[in-house]
Amino acid sequence: MPTAYINAIGKFLPGDAIPNDQLEEHLGLIKDRSSKARKCVLKRNGIQQRHYAIDNQQRTRYSNSQMAAQAVRDGLDNAGIDAQAIDLLSCGTTLPDLLVPGFASMVHGELSELSPLEIVSTQGVCCSGVSALNYAVSQLELGKRHNAISVASEFASRLFKHTKFEAETTVQKGESLPFDTEFLRWMLSDGAGAFVLQDRPNPKGLSLRVDWIELISHANAYPVCMSAGSVDGQTSWLDYPTYIDAAEAGAMNLRQNTRLLDQVVKLGVEGWLKLIETGRVKPDEIDWLLCHYSSHFFKSRIVDLLEKADCMIPEHKWFTNLYTRGNTGCASIYLMLEELFHSNKLHPDQRIFCFVPESGRFTTAYMMLTVVDASTQTSYKEKHPAKSLARKVHSEIATPHPFGTETQPQLPKTHAETSHSANVLRQLTLVWLEFERQLRSVPLVRRLHQGTFTLQDYQALLCNLRPQVAEGARWIARAASNFSDFQLRSTFIKHAQEEHRDFQMLELNYGAVGGDPNEILKAEKNIGGEALSAFIFQQASQPNPVDLIGSMMIIEGVGNQLAGQWAQKIQLTLNLSADQVSFLAYHGDNDASHLEKLEALLQADWMTDEIGQRIIKTAQVTARLYRLQLEEIQ
């Protein structure tokens, strides 16, 4: 089959770069008052300058379609091919200039030098540019097109004029602008990028071969996170009696639910880890990572998750221009690739991995590119062999194993094959991220996130959790008694001591919210609770039940990662005091140390692939049964 190559890249950045200290002057003060959120948002996102397609009087200098057309022209100039040869124009954006017709029609209308051709418009948020590219690549690979252009352009600044916000009723009454509404005012900027794609590489110079593109939506499981045209993410601006009513309600403003942004990062990393598991991404073979993190703040979250999974790509391989170009939405990945492509840093055979998370309603895009030079016969890697691959073959002497098995002589591993412990850490991280995502679909948890959680829900949650919490120290102690390794036995016993009275705090919370103490003591396990208890006690009764580390990672993960969030949401939704949610809050504050001890165990010398797979499977079973336990709470 034909292959798609990015043979040239063009860009368009409107006007001069605007530094942070001039942003508010450029966009205008809202009701002549300086923003309270501006400094905080700018400090977190790390952006130092950006470009706007409006001037300091908030007048439009270029339309969105004009910016896209300028980027296309720049790309064609760089490619040195006849514009008439282009047979496909694929365009992506978040907010086109017009509601009708489509964005690609308007861009084509600006490009009189092109011939009549196929066009396609993709609309979304940050992933719409990759969607446009994906369509163009598919057509080239099918052989239906030979010379295509994909372009991504964003014109966000005209949404951020001070006059736009002043129409909102709350601002007219003198109230501050909601943070979720103002947040994006200091995040987004304007710009466009264009790829010239062909079914053959450049005869001279470098090209980027598109190896694969993956786009995944999780909208079925998550609410709207970023939107315009609605206040609540459901009611359309078209449903208001008049356009003025919609504007006064704030429906016309672009808003971001900042409380959901961490989920965007987790979903993105989860997909990344799945690509590693299937062998489509091999971290030690990546030469450049282009990650569209919308703010410097989120880079640290991505790094934390990758380091926890032990598959971090060294930061010297990361490439971004966020700090100098700003967050240009769907055009960001185009503008990053444009700058890298013209940087003289690329060499044949280098691999470029691109990662684009989108907050609109939780979509993630990934793509792999390879640098090629058709005019050369000898690859860069043949000229510069990687030291990491020039390893000496050696053998190891088999040594006694604490669980009765032996380590086998093995060849040194690349990062792609990596160590036993690293494999387990990566797979456990993936199990956890999948489990956390699936929990959001559980009716009880969904009600909690939607703000419809009731006092009866909270009482039912405590009642159904109590048997599991009360038995926690028991099965951990049983497991400890079955270890032949003293260090593991000691670790499990200590953990049991720390857990054995937690259920008393839960009982106090139940009584504090009106529950009958006698009822919670008599509460029976639901179906999921019975299954979870039976499984864990069965595993704890086996010789050397090291696989229960997987169970503990899931259960302690709920405490560390979710219990604190749930406590805050429950307290806010039900208007409770801190001492009424202390059980969940306590675990949110204190289970991190437990997880650290468990992660240290996973680094032990006795870890093998066989033991690691036992731990992973037990974690998967525990996650599924824990979710079943919550699903049974009606």
Side-chain angles (χ1 to χ4, degrees), residues 36-286:
K36 295 180 179 179
R38 178 176 58 86
K39 289 184 179 180
C40 174
V41 176
L42 291 176
K43 182 178 179 180
R44 284 190 153 198
N45 66 33
I47 300 170
Q48 300 301 311
Q49 61 182 33
R50 66 193 76 193
H51 295 260
Y52 286 144
I54 59 174
D55 62 21
N56 57 12
Q57 299 301 310
Q58 293 88 55
R59 294 173 299 204
T60 295
R61 302 173 62 194
Y62 307 93
S63 69
N64 200 355
S65 54
Q66 287 172 341
M67 287 195 295
Q70 293 280 42
V72 169
R73 292 189 180 102
D74 187 46
L76 288 171
D77 288 343
N78 292 333
I81 64 173
D82 184 0
Q84 293 286 308
I86 302 299
D87 50 15
L88 170 64
L89 176 64
S90 185
C91 305
T93 192
T94 300
L95 289 165
D97 302 301
L98 306 179
L99 296 176
V100 177
F103 184 55
S105 292
M106 300 305 295
V107 176
H108 190 202
E110 294 288 341
L111 292 164
S112 58
E113 59 267 42
L114 297 183
S115 61
L117 44 62
E118 180 185 4
I119 61 171
V120 65
S121 302
T122 63
Q123 196 217 349
V125 189
C126 297
C127 287
S128 58
V130 181
S131 295
L133 173 63
N134 193 36
Y135 182 83
V137 167
S138 298
Q139 294 300 296
L140 291 172
E141 290 176 339
L142 289 170
K144 299 176 71 173
R145 298 287 178 258
H146 304 287
N147 304 288
I149 288 177
S150 72
V151 58
S153 184
E154 297 285 30
F155 188 178
S157 63
R158 58 184 164 191
L159 288 173
F160 303 142
K161 302 174 185 179
H162 66 99
T163 51
K164 300 286 188 181
F165 297 104
E166 288 170 355
E168 191 169 341
T169 302
T170 55
V171 178
Q172 292 175 354
K173 293 179 180 179
E175 299 177 14
S176 298
L177 197 67
F179 182 80
D180 282 2
T181 301
E182 188 179 359
F183 173 75
L184 291 172
R185 196 179 195 221
W186 313 116
M187 291 288 290
L188 302 178
S189 51
D190 307 336
F195 297 149
V196 178
L197 298 123
Q198 296 179 279
D199 54 6
R200 57 205 176 279
N202 281 320
K204 293 183 179 180
L206 300 181
S207 300
L208 302 178
R209 186 183 69 225
V210 182
D211 296 328
W212 52 261
I213 298 175
E214 189 83 43
L215 280 149
I216 305 168
S217 166
H218 294 281
N220 63 310
Y222 285 85
V224 173
C225 181
M226 176 181 172
S227 65
S230 175
V231 175
D232 56 8
Q234 300 294 328
T235 305
S236 169
W237 63 280
L238 292 170
D239 292 325
Y240 287 86
T242 69
Y243 300 138
I244 294 176
D245 289 331
E248 290 181 345
M252 310 308 296
N253 293 330
L254 185 65
R255 62 185 70 239
Q256 179 88 71
N257 186 341
T258 55
R259 293 165 295 282
L260 291 175
L261 287 176
D262 195 48
Q263 298 301 318
V264 180
V265 173
K266 290 179 180 179
L267 278 174
V269 174
E270 178 188 338
W272 187 334
L273 296 181
K274 287 180 178 178
L275 290 170
I276 293 175
E277 287 299 304
T278 58
R280 297 182 76 185
V281 173
K282 298 180 180 180
D284 62 338
E285 294 182 4
I286 302 301

Side-chain angles (χ1 to χ4, degrees), residues 318-333:
W318 291 48
F319 182 90
T320 184
N321 54 15
L322 171 72
Y323 312 108
T324 56
R325 296 287 190 254
N327 176 4
T328 52
C330 73
S332 291
I333 197 67

